[in-house]
Amino acid sequence: MQAGVELRACPNTLALLKGPKLIPADEVDWATEYSDLVLSVKMVGTLDEAIAHIHRYGSSHTETIVTEDAEAAKKFMEEIEAAGVFHNASTRFADGFRYGLGAELGISTSKLHARGPVGLEGLTTYKYKLIGSGHTVAEYASGARRFTYRTVVP
């Protein structure tokens, strides 16, 4: 909140935090992407509850889990249906340039569009999985760390 971020929070989160930019969240907040310094925070009791919340309100773009529990991370990475699923890394890594794909293009992640004659390659999509240890984009944006790329074949 020092950075001016407004938190829209569930009752459990409100009970833990104090500050001028805390606002009780409502149902609309879970489904809203603000494109601003606004964050909706909901505490859940179980991993299954978290996964259900993401399935209901997520954008299918990028989701992350922060945990030291390897089994929970594995389940999250497998069950979340999104273009990018991360473990212990910032969702700000979800970027075509950062993936080593060249420039970033803004496209819909909710539908695959095929037009004209389409072969197998045209119908292929990917799910990116990123495993970190608390990685944030700031180190890379400042040049303190550099990206390295390698092809991984399943």
PDB file of all heavy atoms in Angstrom, residues 36-64:
ATOM      1  N   ASP A  36      -5.097  -1.211 -13.375  1.00  0.00           N
ATOM      2  CA  ASP A  36      -4.741  -0.085 -12.513  1.00  0.00           C
ATOM      3  C   ASP A  36      -4.082  -0.652 -11.260  1.00  0.00           C
ATOM      4  O   ASP A  36      -3.933  -1.871 -11.127  1.00  0.00           O
ATOM      5  CB  ASP A  36      -6.010   0.698 -12.156  1.00  0.00           C
ATOM      6  CG  ASP A  36      -5.718   2.119 -11.694  1.00  0.00           C
ATOM      7  OD1 ASP A  36      -4.543   2.470 -11.506  1.00  0.00           O
ATOM      8  OD2 ASP A  36      -6.685   2.872 -11.510  1.00  0.00           O
ATOM      9  N   LEU A  37      -3.717   0.202 -10.337  1.00  0.00           N
ATOM     10  CA  LEU A  37      -3.106  -0.230  -9.081  1.00  0.00           C
ATOM     11  C   LEU A  37      -4.188  -0.669  -8.098  1.00  0.00           C
ATOM     12  O   LEU A  37      -4.344  -0.132  -7.002  1.00  0.00           O
ATOM     13  CB  LEU A  37      -2.246   0.895  -8.485  1.00  0.00           C
ATOM     14  CG  LEU A  37      -1.011   1.263  -9.303  1.00  0.00           C
ATOM     15  CD1 LEU A  37      -0.286   2.449  -8.668  1.00  0.00           C
ATOM     16  CD2 LEU A  37      -0.073   0.078  -9.433  1.00  0.00           C
ATOM     17  N   VAL A  38      -4.970  -1.666  -8.508  1.00  0.00           N
ATOM     18  CA  VAL A  38      -6.046  -2.233  -7.710  1.00  0.00           C
ATOM     19  C   VAL A  38      -5.855  -3.749  -7.701  1.00  0.00           C
ATOM     20  O   VAL A  38      -5.672  -4.364  -8.753  1.00  0.00           O
ATOM     21  CB  VAL A  38      -7.436  -1.884  -8.281  1.00  0.00           C
ATOM     22  CG1 VAL A  38      -8.540  -2.532  -7.462  1.00  0.00           C
ATOM     23  CG2 VAL A  38      -7.622  -0.377  -8.360  1.00  0.00           C
ATOM     24  N   LEU A  39      -5.898  -4.333  -6.518  1.00  0.00           N
ATOM     25  CA  LEU A  39      -5.704  -5.774  -6.369  1.00  0.00           C
ATOM     26  C   LEU A  39      -6.835  -6.334  -5.524  1.00  0.00           C
ATOM     27  O   LEU A  39      -7.118  -5.832  -4.441  1.00  0.00           O
ATOM     28  CB  LEU A  39      -4.356  -6.039  -5.683  1.00  0.00           C
ATOM     29  CG  LEU A  39      -3.968  -7.481  -5.433  1.00  0.00           C
ATOM     30  CD1 LEU A  39      -3.762  -8.212  -6.749  1.00  0.00           C
ATOM     31  CD2 LEU A  39      -2.692  -7.537  -4.594  1.00  0.00           C
ATOM     32  N   SER A  40      -7.483  -7.373  -6.042  1.00  0.00           N
ATOM     33  CA  SER A  40      -8.520  -8.059  -5.279  1.00  0.00           C
ATOM     34  C   SER A  40      -7.880  -9.261  -4.593  1.00  0.00           C
ATOM     35  O   SER A  40      -7.245 -10.079  -5.248  1.00  0.00           O
ATOM     36  CB  SER A  40      -9.643  -8.540  -6.203  1.00  0.00           C
ATOM     37  OG  SER A  40     -10.250  -7.445  -6.841  1.00  0.00           O
ATOM     38  N   VAL A  41      -8.059  -9.361  -3.272  1.00  0.00           N
ATOM     39  CA  VAL A  41      -7.418 -10.412  -2.483  1.00  0.00           C
ATOM     40  C   VAL A  41      -8.487 -11.219  -1.755  1.00  0.00           C
ATOM     41  O   VAL A  41      -9.302 -10.664  -1.026  1.00  0.00           O
ATOM     42  CB  VAL A  41      -6.439  -9.815  -1.442  1.00  0.00           C
ATOM     43  CG1 VAL A  41      -5.802 -10.918  -0.616  1.00  0.00           C
ATOM     44  CG2 VAL A  41      -5.385  -8.968  -2.124  1.00  0.00           C
ATOM     45  N   LYS A  42      -8.451 -12.546  -1.984  1.00  0.00           N
ATOM     46  CA  LYS A  42      -9.376 -13.434  -1.298  1.00  0.00           C
ATOM     47  C   LYS A  42      -8.593 -14.578  -0.686  1.00  0.00           C
ATOM     48  O   LYS A  42      -7.833 -15.262  -1.377  1.00  0.00           O
ATOM     49  CB  LYS A  42     -10.425 -13.988  -2.265  1.00  0.00           C
ATOM     50  CG  LYS A  42     -11.402 -14.932  -1.575  1.00  0.00           C
ATOM     51  CD  LYS A  42     -12.489 -15.393  -2.505  1.00  0.00           C
ATOM     52  CE  LYS A  42     -13.444 -16.284  -1.734  1.00  0.00           C
ATOM     53  NZ  LYS A  42     -14.539 -16.749  -2.567  1.00  0.00           N
ATOM     54  N   MET A  43      -8.772 -14.793   0.600  1.00  0.00           N
ATOM     55  CA  MET A  43      -8.152 -15.932   1.268  1.00  0.00           C
ATOM     56  C   MET A  43      -9.071 -17.134   1.126  1.00  0.00           C
ATOM     57  O   MET A  43     -10.283 -17.018   1.262  1.00  0.00           O
ATOM     58  CB  MET A  43      -7.921 -15.616   2.754  1.00  0.00           C
ATOM     59  CG  MET A  43      -6.882 -14.546   2.978  1.00  0.00           C
ATOM     60  SD  MET A  43      -6.701 -14.090   4.720  1.00  0.00           S
ATOM     61  CE  MET A  43      -6.170 -15.631   5.439  1.00  0.00           C
ATOM     62  N   VAL A  44      -8.468 -18.283   0.836  1.00  0.00           N
ATOM     63  CA  VAL A  44      -9.233 -19.514   0.716  1.00  0.00           C
ATOM     64  C   VAL A  44      -8.660 -20.530   1.689  1.00  0.00           C
ATOM     65  O   VAL A  44      -7.522 -20.423   2.124  1.00  0.00           O
ATOM     66  CB  VAL A  44      -9.204 -20.059  -0.727  1.00  0.00           C
ATOM     67  CG1 VAL A  44      -9.941 -19.131  -1.674  1.00  0.00           C
ATOM     68  CG2 VAL A  44      -7.789 -20.290  -1.208  1.00  0.00           C
ATOM     69  N   GLY A  45      -9.450 -21.542   2.006  1.00  0.00           N
ATOM     70  CA  GLY A  45      -9.038 -22.524   3.006  1.00  0.00           C
ATOM     71  C   GLY A  45      -8.280 -23.714   2.465  1.00  0.00           C
ATOM     72  O   GLY A  45      -7.533 -24.363   3.193  1.00  0.00           O
ATOM     73  N   THR A  46      -8.472 -24.016   1.166  1.00  0.00           N
ATOM     74  CA  THR A  46      -7.832 -25.196   0.595  1.00  0.00           C
ATOM     75  C   THR A  46      -7.358 -24.908  -0.825  1.00  0.00           C
ATOM     76  O   THR A  46      -7.836 -23.967  -1.474  1.00  0.00           O
ATOM     77  CB  THR A  46      -8.804 -26.396   0.538  1.00  0.00           C
ATOM     78  OG1 THR A  46      -9.837 -26.089  -0.414  1.00  0.00           O
ATOM     79  CG2 THR A  46      -9.399 -26.713   1.898  1.00  0.00           C
ATOM     80  N   LEU A  47      -6.476 -25.747  -1.301  1.00  0.00           N
ATOM     81  CA  LEU A  47      -6.018 -25.645  -2.685  1.00  0.00           C
ATOM     82  C   LEU A  47      -7.175 -25.860  -3.645  1.00  0.00           C
ATOM     83  O   LEU A  47      -7.306 -25.150  -4.642  1.00  0.00           O
ATOM     84  CB  LEU A  47      -4.900 -26.658  -2.948  1.00  0.00           C
ATOM     85  CG  LEU A  47      -4.361 -26.719  -4.372  1.00  0.00           C
ATOM     86  CD1 LEU A  47      -3.787 -25.373  -4.803  1.00  0.00           C
ATOM     87  CD2 LEU A  47      -3.328 -27.812  -4.493  1.00  0.00           C
ATOM     88  N   ASP A  48      -8.041 -26.821  -3.359  1.00  0.00           N
ATOM     89  CA  ASP A  48      -9.194 -27.068  -4.226  1.00  0.00           C
ATOM     90  C   ASP A  48     -10.103 -25.847  -4.309  1.00  0.00           C
ATOM     91  O   ASP A  48     -10.651 -25.546  -5.374  1.00  0.00           O
ATOM     92  CB  ASP A  48      -9.980 -28.286  -3.746  1.00  0.00           C
ATOM     93  CG  ASP A  48      -9.236 -29.595  -4.015  1.00  0.00           C
ATOM     94  OD1 ASP A  48      -8.430 -29.639  -4.970  1.00  0.00           O
ATOM     95  OD2 ASP A  48      -9.457 -30.566  -3.272  1.00  0.00           O
ATOM     96  N   GLU A  49     -10.269 -25.147  -3.194  1.00  0.00           N
ATOM     97  CA  GLU A  49     -11.077 -23.920  -3.196  1.00  0.00           C
ATOM     98  C   GLU A  49     -10.412 -22.845  -4.058  1.00  0.00           C
ATOM     99  O   GLU A  49     -11.086 -22.121  -4.793  1.00  0.00           O
ATOM    100  CB  GLU A  49     -11.261 -23.428  -1.756  1.00  0.00           C
ATOM    101  CG  GLU A  49     -12.289 -22.336  -1.610  1.00  0.00           C
ATOM    102  CD  GLU A  49     -12.468 -21.883  -0.159  1.00  0.00           C
ATOM    103  OE1 GLU A  49     -12.059 -22.614   0.765  1.00  0.00           O
ATOM    104  OE2 GLU A  49     -13.013 -20.787   0.032  1.00  0.00           O
ATOM    105  N   ALA A  50      -9.094 -22.748  -3.990  1.00  0.00           N
ATOM    106  CA  ALA A  50      -8.364 -21.782  -4.821  1.00  0.00           C
ATOM    107  C   ALA A  50      -8.524 -22.114  -6.303  1.00  0.00           C
ATOM    108  O   ALA A  50      -8.779 -21.233  -7.126  1.00  0.00           O
ATOM    109  CB  ALA A  50      -6.891 -21.764  -4.430  1.00  0.00           C
ATOM    110  N   ILE A  51      -8.376 -23.379  -6.640  1.00  0.00           N
ATOM    111  CA  ILE A  51      -8.509 -23.804  -8.036  1.00  0.00           C
ATOM    112  C   ILE A  51      -9.927 -23.539  -8.542  1.00  0.00           C
ATOM    113  O   ILE A  51     -10.116 -23.026  -9.652  1.00  0.00           O
ATOM    114  CB  ILE A  51      -8.114 -25.290  -8.190  1.00  0.00           C
ATOM    115  CG1 ILE A  51      -6.590 -25.434  -7.981  1.00  0.00           C
ATOM    116  CG2 ILE A  51      -8.545 -25.843  -9.547  1.00  0.00           C
ATOM    117  CD1 ILE A  51      -6.105 -26.867  -7.876  1.00  0.00           C
ATOM    118  N   ALA A  52     -10.928 -23.813  -7.731  1.00  0.00           N
ATOM    119  CA  ALA A  52     -12.316 -23.542  -8.119  1.00  0.00           C
ATOM    120  C   ALA A  52     -12.548 -22.048  -8.334  1.00  0.00           C
ATOM    121  O   ALA A  52     -13.235 -21.641  -9.279  1.00  0.00           O
ATOM    122  CB  ALA A  52     -13.276 -24.084  -7.053  1.00  0.00           C
ATOM    123  N   HIS A  53     -11.958 -21.217  -7.468  1.00  0.00           N
ATOM    124  CA  HIS A  53     -12.083 -19.758  -7.605  1.00  0.00           C
ATOM    125  C   HIS A  53     -11.467 -19.301  -8.930  1.00  0.00           C
ATOM    126  O   HIS A  53     -12.053 -18.501  -9.659  1.00  0.00           O
ATOM    127  CB  HIS A  53     -11.410 -19.070  -6.415  1.00  0.00           C
ATOM    128  CG  HIS A  53     -11.507 -17.581  -6.453  1.00  0.00           C
ATOM    129  ND1 HIS A  53     -12.612 -16.898  -5.996  1.00  0.00           N
ATOM    130  CD2 HIS A  53     -10.644 -16.641  -6.890  1.00  0.00           C
ATOM    131  CE1 HIS A  53     -12.430 -15.599  -6.152  1.00  0.00           C
ATOM    132  NE2 HIS A  53     -11.225 -15.423  -6.694  1.00  0.00           N
ATOM    133  N   ILE A  54     -10.297 -19.816  -9.253  1.00  0.00           N
ATOM    134  CA  ILE A  54      -9.625 -19.441 -10.502  1.00  0.00           C
ATOM    135  C   ILE A  54     -10.413 -19.935 -11.707  1.00  0.00           C
ATOM    136  O   ILE A  54     -10.565 -19.205 -12.698  1.00  0.00           O
ATOM    137  CB  ILE A  54      -8.174 -19.963 -10.514  1.00  0.00           C
ATOM    138  CG1 ILE A  54      -7.350 -19.205  -9.472  1.00  0.00           C
ATOM    139  CG2 ILE A  54      -7.553 -19.838 -11.901  1.00  0.00           C
ATOM    140  CD1 ILE A  54      -5.997 -19.815  -9.185  1.00  0.00           C
ATOM    141  N   HIS A  55     -10.944 -21.139 -11.639  1.00  0.00           N
ATOM    142  CA  HIS A  55     -11.751 -21.639 -12.752  1.00  0.00           C
ATOM    143  C   HIS A  55     -12.979 -20.761 -12.986  1.00  0.00           C
ATOM    144  O   HIS A  55     -13.383 -20.552 -14.127  1.00  0.00           O
ATOM    145  CB  HIS A  55     -12.190 -23.082 -12.503  1.00  0.00           C
ATOM    146  CG  HIS A  55     -11.096 -24.075 -12.725  1.00  0.00           C
ATOM    147  ND1 HIS A  55     -11.172 -25.366 -12.272  1.00  0.00           N
ATOM    148  CD2 HIS A  55      -9.893 -23.982 -13.339  1.00  0.00           C
ATOM    149  CE1 HIS A  55     -10.074 -26.013 -12.611  1.00  0.00           C
ATOM    150  NE2 HIS A  55      -9.280 -25.192 -13.247  1.00  0.00           N
ATOM    151  N   ARG A  56     -13.545 -20.232 -11.920  1.00  0.00           N
ATOM    152  CA  ARG A  56     -14.739 -19.382 -12.058  1.00  0.00           C
ATOM    153  C   ARG A  56     -14.395 -17.965 -12.508  1.00  0.00           C
ATOM    154  O   ARG A  56     -15.088 -17.389 -13.350  1.00  0.00           O
ATOM    155  CB  ARG A  56     -15.496 -19.334 -10.733  1.00  0.00           C
ATOM    156  CG  ARG A  56     -16.737 -18.474 -10.822  1.00  0.00           C
ATOM    157  CD  ARG A  56     -17.628 -18.608  -9.636  1.00  0.00           C
ATOM    158  NE  ARG A  56     -18.806 -17.762  -9.809  1.00  0.00           N
ATOM    159  CZ  ARG A  56     -19.702 -17.564  -8.896  1.00  0.00           C
ATOM    160  NH1 ARG A  56     -19.611 -18.177  -7.730  1.00  0.00           N
ATOM    161  NH2 ARG A  56     -20.727 -16.776  -9.115  1.00  0.00           N
ATOM    162  N   TYR A  57     -13.334 -17.373 -11.945  1.00  0.00           N
ATOM    163  CA  TYR A  57     -13.068 -15.955 -12.173  1.00  0.00           C
ATOM    164  C   TYR A  57     -11.816 -15.657 -12.994  1.00  0.00           C
ATOM    165  O   TYR A  57     -11.607 -14.524 -13.415  1.00  0.00           O
ATOM    166  CB  TYR A  57     -12.937 -15.218 -10.841  1.00  0.00           C
ATOM    167  CG  TYR A  57     -14.193 -15.252 -10.019  1.00  0.00           C
ATOM    168  CD1 TYR A  57     -14.285 -16.043  -8.886  1.00  0.00           C
ATOM    169  CD2 TYR A  57     -15.296 -14.490 -10.384  1.00  0.00           C
ATOM    170  CE1 TYR A  57     -15.434 -16.071  -8.122  1.00  0.00           C
ATOM    171  CE2 TYR A  57     -16.459 -14.515  -9.630  1.00  0.00           C
ATOM    172  CZ  TYR A  57     -16.514 -15.305  -8.504  1.00  0.00           C
ATOM    173  OH  TYR A  57     -17.658 -15.337  -7.750  1.00  0.00           O
ATOM    174  N   GLY A  58     -10.967 -16.642 -13.224  1.00  0.00           N
ATOM    175  CA  GLY A  58      -9.706 -16.395 -13.914  1.00  0.00           C
ATOM    176  C   GLY A  58      -9.896 -15.998 -15.371  1.00  0.00           C
ATOM    177  O   GLY A  58     -10.936 -16.257 -15.982  1.00  0.00           O
ATOM    178  N   SER A  59      -8.865 -15.393 -15.934  1.00  0.00           N
ATOM    179  CA  SER A  59      -8.919 -14.916 -17.318  1.00  0.00           C
ATOM    180  C   SER A  59      -8.430 -15.953 -18.323  1.00  0.00           C
ATOM    181  O   SER A  59      -8.531 -15.732 -19.522  1.00  0.00           O
ATOM    182  CB  SER A  59      -8.058 -13.663 -17.465  1.00  0.00           C
ATOM    183  OG  SER A  59      -6.683 -14.013 -17.323  1.00  0.00           O
ATOM    184  N   SER A  60      -7.848 -17.049 -17.849  1.00  0.00           N
ATOM    185  CA  SER A  60      -7.205 -18.063 -18.688  1.00  0.00           C
ATOM    186  C   SER A  60      -5.919 -17.538 -19.309  1.00  0.00           C
ATOM    187  O   SER A  60      -5.386 -18.133 -20.235  1.00  0.00           O
ATOM    188  CB  SER A  60      -8.138 -18.590 -19.792  1.00  0.00           C
ATOM    189  OG  SER A  60      -9.267 -19.195 -19.225  1.00  0.00           O
ATOM    190  N   HIS A  61      -5.422 -16.415 -18.817  1.00  0.00           N
ATOM    191  CA  HIS A  61      -4.168 -15.859 -19.328  1.00  0.00           C
ATOM    192  C   HIS A  61      -2.996 -16.391 -18.517  1.00  0.00           C
ATOM    193  O   HIS A  61      -2.217 -17.198 -18.993  1.00  0.00           O
ATOM    194  CB  HIS A  61      -4.193 -14.326 -19.290  1.00  0.00           C
ATOM    195  CG  HIS A  61      -3.025 -13.701 -19.966  1.00  0.00           C
ATOM    196  ND1 HIS A  61      -1.770 -13.619 -19.380  1.00  0.00           N
ATOM    197  CD2 HIS A  61      -2.912 -13.128 -21.182  1.00  0.00           C
ATOM    198  CE1 HIS A  61      -0.940 -13.027 -20.214  1.00  0.00           C
ATOM    199  NE2 HIS A  61      -1.613 -12.718 -21.325  1.00  0.00           N
ATOM    200  N   THR A  62      -2.856 -15.955 -17.268  1.00  0.00           N
ATOM    201  CA  THR A  62      -1.721 -16.363 -16.435  1.00  0.00           C
ATOM    202  C   THR A  62      -2.171 -16.465 -14.987  1.00  0.00           C
ATOM    203  O   THR A  62      -2.841 -15.568 -14.478  1.00  0.00           O
ATOM    204  CB  THR A  62      -0.570 -15.340 -16.531  1.00  0.00           C
ATOM    205  OG1 THR A  62      -0.278 -15.104 -17.905  1.00  0.00           O
ATOM    206  CG2 THR A  62       0.673 -15.856 -15.834  1.00  0.00           C
ATOM    207  N   GLU A  63      -1.789 -17.551 -14.333  1.00  0.00           N
ATOM    208  CA  GLU A  63      -2.097 -17.763 -12.925  1.00  0.00           C
ATOM    209  C   GLU A  63      -0.824 -18.243 -12.235  1.00  0.00           C
ATOM    210  O   GLU A  63       0.011 -18.894 -12.859  1.00  0.00           O
ATOM    211  CB  GLU A  63      -3.208 -18.802 -12.750  1.00  0.00           C
ATOM    212  CG  GLU A  63      -4.506 -18.491 -13.487  1.00  0.00           C
ATOM    213  CD  GLU A  63      -5.246 -17.269 -12.979  1.00  0.00           C
ATOM    214  OE1 GLU A  63      -4.942 -16.785 -11.869  1.00  0.00           O
ATOM    215  OE2 GLU A  63      -6.142 -16.797 -13.693  1.00  0.00           O
ATOM    216  N   THR A  64      -0.687 -17.925 -10.945  1.00  0.00           N
ATOM    217  CA  THR A  64       0.503 -18.360 -10.212  1.00  0.00           C
ATOM    218  C   THR A  64       0.139 -18.868  -8.832  1.00  0.00           C
ATOM    219  O   THR A  64      -0.880 -18.479  -8.268  1.00  0.00           O
ATOM    220  CB  THR A  64       1.538 -17.212 -10.109  1.00  0.00           C
ATOM    221  OG1 THR A  64       2.783 -17.747  -9.650  1.00  0.00           O
ATOM    222  CG2 THR A  64       1.086 -16.114  -9.161  1.00  0.00           C
TER     223      THR A  64
END
